Amino acid sequence: MQMHYGWNELKDIDFMSLLPVILPVLAVGMVLILIALMDLYKHRKTRKNILLWSLIIIFLNTFGPILYFVIGRKDRERT
């Protein structure tokens, strides 16, 4: 009994049947990234570590914007 799949079995997977599952996840991720980057740009005068947060938002895909909204919005300079 074979318990794993190899590279040869990838050609047998119908990726078009997975598209209705993958597209909404990608769309939500892109919307979160855009909203987080717009918020970071809008409040760039009062935020610390703008470059770090923009890299986290972009490269951590869905988790980056969530981290920004949970942690990064509290990261403000006191004026």
Side-chain angles (χ1 to χ4, degrees):
M1 180 173 174
Q2 186 178 7
M3 297 297 287
H4 67 281
Y5 295 103
W7 291 105
N8 295 332
E9 283 81 19
L10 280 178
K11 64 179 172 15
D12 298 332
I13 297 174
D14 183 23
F15 288 105
M16 294 307 277
S17 65
L18 296 175
L19 204 60
V21 175
I22 294 171
L23 278 179
V25 172
L26 290 176
V28 167
M30 290 302 296
V31 168
L32 279 173
I33 289 171
L34 287 174
I35 291 172
L37 286 174
M38 287 189 306
D39 185 69
L40 183 65
Y41 179 75
K42 189 167 78 170
H43 299 288
R44 68 186 179 275
K45 302 284 187 200
T46 59
R47 298 277 189 253
K48 295 187 228 175
N49 304 322
I50 296 172
L51 179 65
L52 179 67
W53 276 116
S54 60
L55 291 174
I56 288 172
I57 290 168
I58 292 170
F59 290 117
L60 291 183
N61 295 334
T62 305
F63 297 113
I66 293 171
L67 283 174
Y68 171 73
F69 287 124
V70 172
I71 299 170
R73 291 184 61 128
K74 296 174 188 172
D75 183 28
R76 295 184 184 185
E77 293 177 356
R78 301 288 180 217
T79 57

